Coordinates of all heavy atoms in Angstrom, one line a residue:
G1 N 0.8 -1.2 0.0 CA 0.0 0.0 0.0 C 0.9 1.2 0.0 O 2.1 1.2 0.2
K2 N 0.2 2.4 -0.2 CA 0.9 3.7 -0.2 C 1.3 4.1 1.2 O 0.5 4.0 2.1 CB -0.1 4.7 -0.8 CG 0.5 6.1 -1.0 CD -0.6 6.9 -1.7 CE -0.2 8.4 -1.6 NZ -0.4 9.0 -0.3
A3 N 2.5 4.6 1.3 CA 3.0 5.1 2.6 C 2.3 6.4 2.9 O 2.0 7.2 2.1 CB 4.5 5.3 2.5
H4 N 2.1 6.6 4.2 CA 1.5 7.9 4.7 C 2.6 9.0 4.7 O 3.7 8.7 5.0 CB 0.9 7.7 6.1 CG -0.3 6.8 6.1 ND1 -1.5 7.2 5.7 CD2 -0.4 5.5 6.5 CE1 -2.4 6.2 5.8 NE2 -1.7 5.1 6.3
E5 N 2.1 10.2 4.3 CA 3.0 11.3 4.4 C 3.4 11.6 5.9 O 4.5 12.0 6.2 CB 2.4 12.5 3.8 CG 3.2 13.8 3.8 CD 2.5 15.0 3.2 OE1 1.3 14.9 3.0 OE2 3.2 16.0 3.1
F6 N 2.4 11.4 6.8 CA 2.6 11.6 8.2 C 1.6 10.9 9.0 O 0.6 10.4 8.4 CB 2.6 13.1 8.5 CG 1.3 13.8 8.2 CD1 0.2 13.7 9.0 CD2 1.1 14.5 7.0 CE1 -1.0 14.4 8.7 CE2 -0.1 15.1 6.6 CZ -1.1 15.0 7.5
V7 N 1.8 10.8 10.3 CA 0.8 10.2 11.2 C 0.6 11.2 12.3 O 1.5 12.0 12.6 CB 1.1 8.8 11.7 CG1 1.1 7.8 10.6 CG2 2.4 8.8 12.5
V8 N -0.6 11.3 12.9 CA -0.9 12.2 14.0 C -1.4 11.4 15.2 O -2.2 10.5 15.0 CB -1.9 13.3 13.6 CG1 -2.3 14.2 14.7 CG2 -1.3 14.1 12.4
S9 N -1.0 11.8 16.4 CA -1.6 11.2 17.6 C -2.0 12.3 18.5 O -1.5 13.4 18.4 CB -0.6 10.2 18.3 OG 0.4 10.9 18.8
E10 N -3.0 12.0 19.4 CA -3.5 12.9 20.4 C -3.1 12.5 21.8 O -3.0 11.3 22.0 CB -5.0 13.0 20.3 CG -5.6 13.2 18.9 CD -7.1 13.1 18.9 OE1 -7.7 13.0 20.0 OE2 -7.6 13.1 17.8
N11 N -2.9 13.5 22.7 CA -2.6 13.1 24.0 C -3.3 14.2 25.0 O -3.5 15.3 24.6 CB -1.2 12.9 24.4 CG -0.3 14.1 24.2 OD1 -0.8 15.2 23.9 ND2 1.0 13.9 24.4
D12 N -3.5 13.8 26.2 CA -4.1 14.6 27.2 C -3.2 14.4 28.5 O -3.2 13.3 29.0 CB -5.5 14.1 27.5 CG -6.3 15.0 28.5 OD1 -5.6 15.8 29.2 OD2 -7.5 14.8 28.7
L13 N -2.4 15.4 28.8 CA -1.5 15.2 29.9 C -2.1 15.3 31.2 O -3.0 16.1 31.5 CB -0.4 16.4 29.8 CG 0.4 16.5 28.5 CD1 1.5 17.5 28.7 CD2 1.0 15.1 28.1
A14 N -1.8 14.3 32.0 CA -2.2 14.2 33.4 C -3.8 14.1 33.6 O -4.3 14.8 34.4 CB -1.7 15.3 34.3
P15 N -4.4 13.3 32.8 CA -5.9 13.1 33.0 C -6.1 12.4 34.3 O -5.3 11.6 34.7 CB -6.3 12.3 31.8 CG -5.2 11.5 31.4 CD -4.0 12.4 31.7
R16 N -7.2 12.8 35.0 CA -7.5 12.1 36.3 C -9.0 11.8 36.4 O -9.8 12.7 36.1 CB -7.1 13.0 37.5 CG -5.6 13.3 37.5 CD -5.3 14.1 38.8 NE -4.0 14.7 38.7 CZ -2.8 14.1 38.9 NH1 -2.8 12.9 39.3 NH2 -1.7 14.7 38.8
W17 N -9.3 10.6 36.8 CA -10.7 10.3 37.1 C -11.6 10.7 36.0 O -12.7 11.2 36.2 CB -11.1 10.9 38.4 CG -10.2 10.5 39.5 CD1 -10.0 9.2 40.0 CD2 -9.3 11.3 40.2 NE1 -9.0 9.2 41.0 CE2 -8.6 10.5 41.1 CE3 -9.0 12.7 40.1 CZ2 -7.6 11.0 41.9 CZ3 -8.0 13.2 40.9 CH2 -7.3 12.3 41.8
G18 N -11.2 10.4 34.7 CA -12.1 10.7 33.6 C -12.2 12.1 33.2 O -12.9 12.4 32.3
R19 N -11.4 13.0 33.8 CA -11.4 14.4 33.4 C -10.0 14.8 32.8 O -9.0 14.2 33.2 CB -11.6 15.3 34.6 CG -13.0 15.2 35.2 CD -13.5 16.4 35.9 NE -12.4 17.0 36.8 CZ -12.3 16.7 38.1 NH1 -13.2 15.9 38.7 NH2 -11.3 17.2 38.8
S20 N -10.1 15.7 31.9 CA -8.8 16.2 31.2 C -7.9 16.8 32.2 O -8.3 17.5 33.2 CB -9.2 17.2 30.1 OG -8.0 17.8 29.6
G21 N -6.6 16.6 32.0 CA -5.6 17.3 32.8 C -5.4 18.8 32.4 O -4.7 19.5 33.0
G22 N -6.1 19.2 31.3 CA -6.1 20.6 30.9 C -5.0 20.9 29.9 O -5.1 22.0 29.3
V23 N -4.0 20.1 29.7 CA -3.0 20.3 28.7 C -3.1 19.2 27.7 O -2.9 18.1 27.9 CB -1.6 20.3 29.3 CG1 -0.6 20.6 28.2 CG2 -1.4 21.4 30.4
L24 N -3.6 19.7 26.5 CA -3.8 18.7 25.4 C -2.6 18.8 24.4 O -2.0 19.9 24.3 CB -5.1 19.0 24.7 CG -6.3 19.0 25.6 CD1 -7.6 19.4 24.8 CD2 -6.5 17.7 26.3
G25 N -2.4 17.8 23.7 CA -1.3 17.8 22.7 C -1.6 17.1 21.4 O -2.5 16.2 21.4
R26 N -0.8 17.4 20.4 CA -0.9 16.7 19.2 C 0.5 16.4 18.7 O 1.4 17.3 18.8 CB -1.6 17.4 18.1 CG -3.1 17.7 18.3 CD -3.9 16.4 18.3 NE -5.3 16.7 18.6 CZ -5.9 16.7 19.8 NH1 -5.2 16.5 20.9 NH2 -7.2 16.9 19.9
M27 N 0.8 15.2 18.2 CA 2.1 14.9 17.7 C 1.9 14.5 16.2 O 1.0 13.7 15.9 CB 2.6 13.7 18.5 CG 4.1 13.2 18.0 SD 4.2 12.2 16.5 CE 3.3 10.7 17.1
L28 N 2.8 15.1 15.4 CA 2.8 14.8 14.0 C 4.2 14.2 13.6 O 5.2 14.8 13.9 CB 2.5 16.0 13.2 CG 2.4 15.8 11.7 CD1 1.2 16.7 11.1 CD2 3.7 16.2 11.0
R29 N 4.2 13.0 13.0 CA 5.4 12.3 12.7 C 5.6 12.2 11.2 O 4.7 11.6 10.6 CB 5.4 11.0 13.4 CG 6.6 10.1 13.1 CD 7.9 10.6 13.9 NE 8.9 9.6 14.0 CZ 9.8 9.3 13.2 NH1 9.9 10.0 12.0 NH2 10.7 8.4 13.4
T30 N 6.6 12.8 10.7 CA 6.9 12.6 9.3 C 8.1 11.6 9.2 O 8.6 11.2 10.3 CB 7.3 14.0 8.6 OG1 8.3 14.6 9.4 CG2 6.1 14.9 8.6
P31 N 8.5 11.2 8.0 CA 9.5 10.2 8.0 C 10.8 10.6 8.8 O 11.4 9.7 9.4 CB 9.9 10.1 6.5 CG 8.6 10.4 5.8 CD 7.9 11.5 6.7
R32 N 11.2 11.9 8.8 CA 12.4 12.2 9.5 C 12.2 12.9 10.9 O 13.0 12.8 11.8 CB 13.2 13.2 8.7 CG 14.5 13.6 9.4 CD 15.6 14.0 8.4 NE 16.8 14.4 9.2 CZ 17.9 14.8 8.7 NH1 18.0 14.9 7.4 NH2 18.9 15.1 9.4
Y33 N 11.1 13.7 11.0 CA 10.9 14.5 12.2 C 9.6 14.1 13.0 O 8.7 13.6 12.5 CB 10.7 16.0 11.8 CG 11.9 16.6 11.1 CD1 12.0 16.6 9.7 CD2 13.0 17.0 11.8 CE1 13.1 17.1 9.1 CE2 14.1 17.5 11.2 CZ 14.2 17.6 9.8 OH 15.3 18.1 9.2
K34 N 9.7 14.5 14.3 CA 8.6 14.4 15.2 C 8.3 15.8 15.7 O 9.2 16.4 16.3 CB 8.9 13.5 16.4 CG 7.7 13.3 17.3 CD 8.0 12.5 18.6 CE 7.9 11.0 18.3 NZ 8.1 10.2 19.6
Y35 N 7.1 16.3 15.4 CA 6.6 17.6 15.8 C 5.5 17.5 16.9 O 4.5 16.8 16.6 CB 6.1 18.3 14.6 CG 5.5 19.7 14.9 CD1 6.2 20.7 15.5 CD2 4.2 19.9 14.6 CE1 5.6 21.9 15.8 CE2 3.6 21.1 14.8 CZ 4.3 22.1 15.4 OH 3.7 23.3 15.7
I36 N 5.7 18.1 18.0 CA 4.7 18.0 19.1 C 4.3 19.4 19.5 O 5.1 20.4 19.6 CB 5.4 17.3 20.3 CG1 5.9 16.0 19.9 CG2 4.3 17.2 21.5 CD1 6.8 15.4 21.0
V37 N 3.0 19.6 19.6 CA 2.4 20.9 20.0 C 1.5 20.7 21.2 O 0.7 19.7 21.3 CB 1.6 21.5 18.9 CG1 0.6 22.5 19.4 CG2 2.4 22.1 17.9
Y38 N 1.6 21.6 22.2 CA 0.7 21.5 23.4 C -0.2 22.7 23.4 O 0.2 23.8 22.9 CB 1.5 21.5 24.7 CG 2.4 20.2 24.8 CD1 3.7 20.2 24.6 CD2 1.8 19.0 25.1 CE1 4.5 19.1 24.7 CE2 2.5 17.8 25.2 CZ 3.9 17.9 25.0 OH 4.6 16.7 25.0
S39 N -1.4 22.6 24.0 CA -2.4 23.6 24.0 C -1.9 24.8 24.9 O -2.4 25.9 24.7 CB -3.7 23.1 24.5 OG -3.6 22.5 25.8
T40 N -1.0 24.6 25.8 CA -0.6 25.6 26.7 C 0.8 25.2 27.3 O 1.2 24.1 27.1 CB -1.6 25.9 27.8 OG1 -1.2 27.0 28.6 CG2 -1.8 24.7 28.7
G41 N 1.4 26.2 28.0 CA 2.7 25.9 28.6 C 3.8 26.8 28.1 O 3.7 27.5 27.2
D42 N 4.9 26.7 28.8 CA 6.1 27.5 28.5 C 6.8 27.1 27.2 O 7.4 27.9 26.5 CB 7.1 27.5 29.6 CG 6.6 28.2 30.9 OD1 5.7 29.0 30.8 OD2 7.1 27.9 32.0
N43 N 6.7 25.8 26.9 CA 7.4 25.3 25.7 C 6.3 24.6 24.9 O 6.3 23.3 24.9 CB 8.5 24.4 26.0 CG 9.7 25.2 26.7 OD1 10.2 26.1 26.1 ND2 10.0 24.8 27.9
P44 N 5.4 25.3 24.2 CA 4.3 24.7 23.5 C 4.7 23.8 22.3 O 3.8 23.1 21.8 CB 3.4 25.8 23.1 CG 4.3 27.0 23.0 CD 5.4 26.8 24.0
E45 N 5.9 24.0 21.8 CA 6.3 23.2 20.6 C 7.6 22.5 20.8 O 8.5 23.0 21.5 CB 6.5 24.1 19.4 CG 5.3 24.7 18.8 CD 5.6 25.6 17.6 OE1 6.3 26.6 17.7 OE2 5.2 25.2 16.5
Q46 N 7.7 21.3 20.2 CA 8.9 20.6 20.2 C 9.1 20.0 18.8 O 8.1 19.6 18.2 CB 8.9 19.4 21.2 CG 8.8 19.9 22.6 CD 8.7 18.7 23.6 OE1 8.2 17.7 23.3 NE2 9.1 19.0 24.9
L47 N 10.3 20.0 18.3 CA 10.6 19.4 17.0 C 11.9 18.6 17.2 O 12.9 19.1 17.7 CB 10.9 20.5 16.0 CG 11.3 20.0 14.6 CD1 10.1 19.3 13.9 CD2 11.7 21.2 13.8
F48 N 11.8 17.3 16.8 CA 13.0 16.4 17.0 C 13.4 15.8 15.6 O 12.5 15.4 14.8 CB 12.7 15.3 17.9 CG 12.4 15.8 19.3 CD1 11.1 15.8 19.8 CD2 13.4 16.2 20.2 CE1 10.8 16.2 21.1 CE2 13.2 16.6 21.5 CZ 11.9 16.7 21.9
D49 N 14.7 15.8 15.3 CA 15.2 15.1 14.1 C 15.4 13.6 14.6 O 16.4 13.3 15.3 CB 16.5 15.8 13.7 CG 17.1 15.1 12.5 OD1 16.8 13.9 12.2 OD2 17.9 15.8 11.8
M50 N 14.5 12.8 14.1 CA 14.6 11.4 14.6 C 15.7 10.6 14.0 O 16.1 9.5 14.5 CB 13.2 10.7 14.3 CG 12.1 11.4 15.0 SD 12.2 11.6 16.8 CE 12.0 9.9 17.3
A51 N 16.3 11.1 12.9 CA 17.5 10.4 12.3 C 18.7 10.7 13.1 O 19.5 9.9 13.4 CB 17.6 10.9 10.9
A52 N 18.9 12.0 13.5 CA 20.1 12.5 14.2 C 20.0 12.3 15.7 O 20.9 12.2 16.4 CB 20.4 13.9 13.8
D53 N 18.7 12.3 16.2 CA 18.5 12.4 17.6 C 17.3 11.5 18.0 O 16.2 11.9 18.4 CB 18.2 13.8 18.0 CG 17.9 14.0 19.5 OD1 18.3 13.2 20.3 OD2 17.2 15.1 19.8
P54 N 17.5 10.1 17.8 CA 16.4 9.2 18.1 C 15.9 9.2 19.6 O 14.8 8.8 19.8 CB 17.0 7.8 17.7 CG 18.4 8.0 17.7 CD 18.7 9.5 17.4
G55 N 16.8 9.7 20.5 CA 16.4 9.7 21.9 C 15.6 10.9 22.3 O 15.2 11.1 23.4
E56 N 15.4 11.8 21.3 CA 14.6 13.1 21.5 C 15.2 13.9 22.6 O 14.5 14.3 23.5 CB 13.1 12.8 21.7 CG 12.5 12.0 20.6 CD 11.0 11.6 20.8 OE1 10.4 12.4 21.6 OE2 10.6 10.6 20.3
L57 N 16.5 14.1 22.6 CA 17.2 14.9 23.6 C 17.2 16.4 23.4 O 17.3 17.2 24.3 CB 18.6 14.4 23.8 CG 18.7 12.9 24.2 CD1 20.2 12.5 24.2 CD2 18.0 12.6 25.5
T58 N 17.2 16.8 22.1 CA 17.3 18.2 21.7 C 16.2 18.6 20.8 O 16.1 18.2 19.7 CB 18.7 18.4 21.0 OG1 19.7 17.9 21.8 CG2 18.9 19.9 20.8
S59 N 15.3 19.5 21.4 CA 14.3 20.1 20.5 C 14.9 21.2 19.6 O 15.6 22.0 20.1 CB 13.2 20.7 21.4 OG 12.2 21.3 20.6
L60 N 14.5 21.1 18.4 CA 15.0 22.1 17.4 C 14.0 23.2 17.1 O 14.1 24.0 16.2 CB 15.3 21.3 16.1 CG 16.2 20.2 16.2 CD1 16.2 19.4 14.9 CD2 17.6 20.7 16.5
A61 N 12.9 23.2 17.9 CA 11.8 24.2 17.7 C 12.3 25.6 17.7 O 11.7 26.5 17.0 CB 10.6 24.0 18.6
G62 N 13.3 25.9 18.5 CA 13.7 27.3 18.6 C 14.9 27.6 17.8 O 15.5 28.7 17.8
S63 N 15.4 26.7 16.9 CA 16.6 26.9 16.1 C 16.2 27.5 14.8 O 15.5 27.0 14.0 CB 17.2 25.5 15.9 OG 18.2 25.6 14.9
P64 N 16.9 28.7 14.5 CA 16.7 29.4 13.2 C 16.9 28.4 12.0 O 16.3 28.6 11.0 CB 17.7 30.5 13.3 CG 17.9 30.8 14.7 CD 17.8 29.4 15.4
A65 N 17.9 27.5 12.2 CA 18.2 26.6 11.0 C 17.1 25.7 10.7 O 17.0 25.2 9.6 CB 19.5 25.8 11.4
Y66 N 16.1 25.5 11.6 CA 15.0 24.6 11.4 C 13.7 25.3 11.3 O 12.6 24.7 11.4 CB 15.0 23.5 12.5 CG 16.1 22.5 12.4 CD1 17.3 22.8 12.9 CD2 15.9 21.4 11.6 CE1 18.4 21.8 12.8 CE2 16.9 20.4 11.5 CZ 18.1 20.7 12.1 OH 19.2 19.8 11.9
A67 N 13.7 26.7 11.1 CA 12.5 27.5 11.1 C 11.6 27.0 9.9 O 10.4 26.9 10.1 CB 12.8 28.9 10.9
D68 N 12.1 26.7 8.8 CA 11.3 26.2 7.7 C 10.7 24.8 7.9 O 9.6 24.6 7.5 CB 12.1 26.2 6.4 CG 12.4 27.6 5.8 OD1 11.7 28.6 6.3 OD2 13.3 27.8 5.0
V69 N 11.5 24.0 8.5 CA 11.0 22.6 8.9 C 9.8 22.8 9.9 O 8.8 22.1 9.7 CB 12.1 21.7 9.5 CG1 11.6 20.4 10.0 CG2 13.2 21.5 8.4
L70 N 10.0 23.7 10.9 CA 9.0 23.9 11.9 C 7.7 24.4 11.2 O 6.6 23.9 11.5 CB 9.5 24.9 12.9 CG 8.6 25.1 14.1 CD1 8.5 23.9 15.0 CD2 9.1 26.3 14.9
K71 N 7.9 25.4 10.3 CA 6.7 26.0 9.6 C 6.0 25.0 8.8 O 4.7 24.9 8.7 CB 7.1 27.2 8.7 CG 7.3 28.5 9.5 CD 7.5 29.6 8.5 CE 8.6 30.5 9.0 NZ 9.3 31.3 8.1
G72 N 6.7 24.1 8.1 CA 6.1 23.1 7.3 C 5.3 22.1 8.1 O 4.2 21.7 7.7
H73 N 5.8 21.7 9.3 CA 5.1 20.8 10.2 C 3.9 21.5 10.8 O 2.8 20.8 11.0 CB 6.0 20.2 11.2 CG 6.9 19.2 10.7 ND1 7.9 19.4 9.8 CD2 6.9 17.8 10.9 CE1 8.5 18.3 9.5 NE2 8.0 17.3 10.1
R74 N 4.0 22.8 11.1 CA 2.8 23.5 11.6 C 1.7 23.5 10.5 O 0.5 23.3 10.8 CB 3.1 25.0 11.9 CG 3.8 25.2 13.2 CD 4.1 26.7 13.3 NE 4.8 27.1 14.4 CZ 5.5 28.2 14.6 NH1 5.5 29.1 13.6 NH2 6.2 28.4 15.7
H75 N 2.1 23.7 9.3 CA 1.2 23.7 8.2 C 0.5 22.3 8.0 O -0.7 22.3 7.9 CB 1.9 24.1 6.9 CG 1.0 24.0 5.7 ND1 0.0 24.9 5.3 CD2 1.0 23.0 4.7 CE1 -0.6 24.5 4.2 NE2 0.0 23.4 3.8
L76 N 1.3 21.3 8.1 CA 0.7 19.9 7.9 C -0.3 19.7 9.0 O -1.4 19.1 8.8 CB 1.8 18.9 8.0 CG 2.7 18.7 6.8 CD1 3.8 17.7 7.1 CD2 1.9 18.3 5.6
L77 N 0.0 20.1 10.3 CA -0.8 19.8 11.4 C -2.1 20.6 11.3 O -3.2 20.1 11.5 CB -0.1 20.0 12.7 CG -1.0 19.7 14.0 CD1 -1.4 18.2 13.9 CD2 -0.2 19.9 15.2
R78 N -2.0 21.9 11.0 CA -3.2 22.8 10.8 C -4.1 22.2 9.8 O -5.3 22.1 10.0 CB -2.8 24.2 10.4 CG -2.6 25.2 11.5 CD -2.6 26.6 11.0 NE -1.6 26.9 10.0 CZ -0.4 27.3 10.2 NH1 0.0 27.6 11.5 NH2 0.5 27.5 9.3
A79 N -3.6 21.8 8.6 CA -4.4 21.2 7.6 C -5.1 19.9 8.1 O -6.3 19.7 7.8 CB -3.6 20.9 6.3
H80 N -4.4 19.1 8.8 CA -4.9 17.8 9.3 C -6.1 18.1 10.3 O -7.1 17.5 10.3 CB -3.8 17.0 10.0 CG -4.4 15.8 10.7 ND1 -4.7 14.7 10.1 CD2 -4.7 15.6 12.0 CE1 -5.1 13.8 11.0 NE2 -5.1 14.3 12.1
L81 N -5.8 19.1 11.2 CA -6.9 19.5 12.2 C -8.1 19.9 11.5 O -9.2 19.6 11.9 CB -6.3 20.5 13.1 CG -5.2 20.1 14.0 CD1 -4.7 21.4 14.8 CD2 -5.5 19.0 15.0
R82 N -8.0 20.8 10.4 CA -9.2 21.2 9.7 C -9.9 20.1 9.0 O -11.1 20.0 9.1 CB -8.7 22.3 8.7 CG -8.5 23.6 9.2 CD -8.5 24.7 8.1 NE -7.6 25.7 8.5 CZ -6.3 25.9 8.1 NH1 -5.8 25.0 7.3 NH2 -5.6 26.9 8.5
R83 N -9.1 19.2 8.4 CA -9.6 18.1 7.6 C -10.4 17.1 8.5 O -11.4 16.6 8.0 CB -8.5 17.4 6.8 CG -8.9 16.5 5.7 CD -7.7 16.1 4.8 NE -6.6 15.6 5.6 CZ -5.4 16.2 5.7 NH1 -5.2 17.4 5.1 NH2 -4.4 15.7 6.4
T84 N -9.9 16.9 9.7 CA -10.5 16.0 10.6 C -11.5 16.6 11.5 O -12.1 15.9 12.4 CB -9.5 15.2 11.3 OG1 -8.7 16.1 12.1 CG2 -8.6 14.4 10.4
E85 N -11.7 18.0 11.4 CA -12.6 18.7 12.3 C -12.2 18.5 13.7 O -13.1 18.4 14.6 CB -14.1 18.3 12.0 CG -14.5 18.6 10.6 CD -16.0 18.3 10.3 OE1 -16.7 17.8 11.3 OE2 -16.4 18.4 9.2
D86 N -10.9 18.5 14.0 CA -10.4 18.4 15.3 C -10.5 19.7 16.0 O -10.2 20.8 15.4 CB -8.9 18.0 15.2 CG -8.2 17.7 16.5 OD1 -8.6 18.2 17.6 OD2 -7.3 16.9 16.5
T87 N -11.0 19.8 17.2 CA -11.2 21.0 18.0 C -10.0 21.5 18.8 O -10.1 22.5 19.5 CB -12.4 20.9 18.9 OG1 -12.1 19.8 19.8 CG2 -13.7 20.6 18.2
F88 N -8.9 20.8 18.6 CA -7.6 21.2 19.3 C -7.2 22.6 19.0 O -7.3 23.0 17.9 CB -6.5 20.2 18.9 CG -5.2 20.6 19.5 CD1 -4.9 20.3 20.8 CD2 -4.2 21.1 18.7 CE1 -3.6 20.6 21.4 CE2 -2.9 21.4 19.3 CZ -2.7 21.1 20.6
Q89 N -6.9 23.4 20.0 CA -6.4 24.7 19.8 C -5.1 25.0 20.4 O -4.8 24.5 21.6 CB -7.5 25.7 20.5 CG -8.8 25.6 19.8 CD -9.7 26.7 20.2 OE1 -9.5 27.4 21.1 NE2 -10.8 26.9 19.4
A90 N -4.2 25.7 19.7 CA -2.9 26.0 20.2 C -2.5 27.4 19.6 O -2.7 27.6 18.4 CB -1.9 25.0 19.8
N91 N -2.0 28.3 20.5 CA -1.7 29.6 20.0 C -0.6 29.6 18.9 O -0.7 30.4 18.0 CB -1.2 30.5 21.2 CG -2.3 30.8 22.2 OD1 -3.4 30.9 21.8 ND2 -1.9 31.1 23.4
V92 N 0.4 28.7 19.0 CA 1.4 28.7 18.0 C 0.9 28.3 16.7 O 1.6 28.6 15.7 CB 2.6 27.7 18.5 CG1 3.3 28.3 19.6 CG2 2.1 26.3 18.7
L93 N -0.2 27.7 16.6 CA -0.8 27.3 15.3 C -1.8 28.3 14.8 O -2.4 28.2 13.8 CB -1.5 25.9 15.4 CG -0.6 24.7 15.7 CD1 -1.5 23.5 16.0 CD2 0.3 24.5 14.6
G94 N -2.0 29.4 15.7 CA -3.0 30.4 15.3 C -4.4 29.8 15.4 O -5.3 30.2 14.8
L95 N -4.6 28.8 16.3 CA -5.9 28.2 16.5 C -6.4 28.4 17.9 O -5.6 28.4 18.9 CB -5.7 26.7 16.3 CG -5.2 26.2 14.9 CD1 -4.9 24.8 14.9 CD2 -6.3 26.6 13.8

């Protein structure tokens, strides 16, 4: 079959007793990168180069050298959220 361009997963940090922990996230994984966005927090975005950093030790989200990669992953995630009518909101995505 055809390979997917990316996959997306959802998470809810620290849910308790059937209620949300209040910090929601989405992860978008392309063949090389893993991009993670949280709905709130001091570091709402993470970007990892899974080829060079499989242990996810260094986020590249703040690196000017990866600004275009970051923008591209934001775009993919925004489009996915719209397409799937996902209600996830994050300031860094303009949502």
Side-chain angles (χ1 to χ4, degrees):
K2 182 175 168 287
H4 293 283
E5 181 184 7
F6 59 84
V7 294
V8 173
S9 68
E10 305 176 9
N11 64 5
D12 184 347
L13 300 188
R16 298 185 197 279
W17 305 292
R19 292 204 316 266
S20 172
V23 179
L24 304 177
R26 296 294 180 269
M27 183 279 295
L28 183 138
R29 177 74 159 87
T30 54
R32 180 158 182 179
Y33 296 97
K34 181 186 277 189
Y35 172 61
I36 304 165
V37 159
Y38 296 104
S39 56
T40 186
D42 293 337
N43 296 300
E45 287 182 297
Q46 296 175 336
L47 178 70
F48 298 103
D49 181 338
M50 300 304 288
D53 180 21
E56 300 177 28
L57 300 176
T58 305
S59 176
L60 304 169
S63 169
Y66 287 86
D68 288 343
V69 173
L70 186 69
K71 278 188 218 153
H73 283 70
R74 279 180 186 160
H75 172 76
L76 286 174
L77 185 56
R78 263 196 306 267
H80 173 80
L81 295 174
R82 280 195 211 98
R83 196 167 49 247
T84 59
E85 300 181 3
D86 189 331
T87 58
F88 177 73
Q89 297 195 341
N91 291 336
V92 292
L93 295 174
L95 301 170

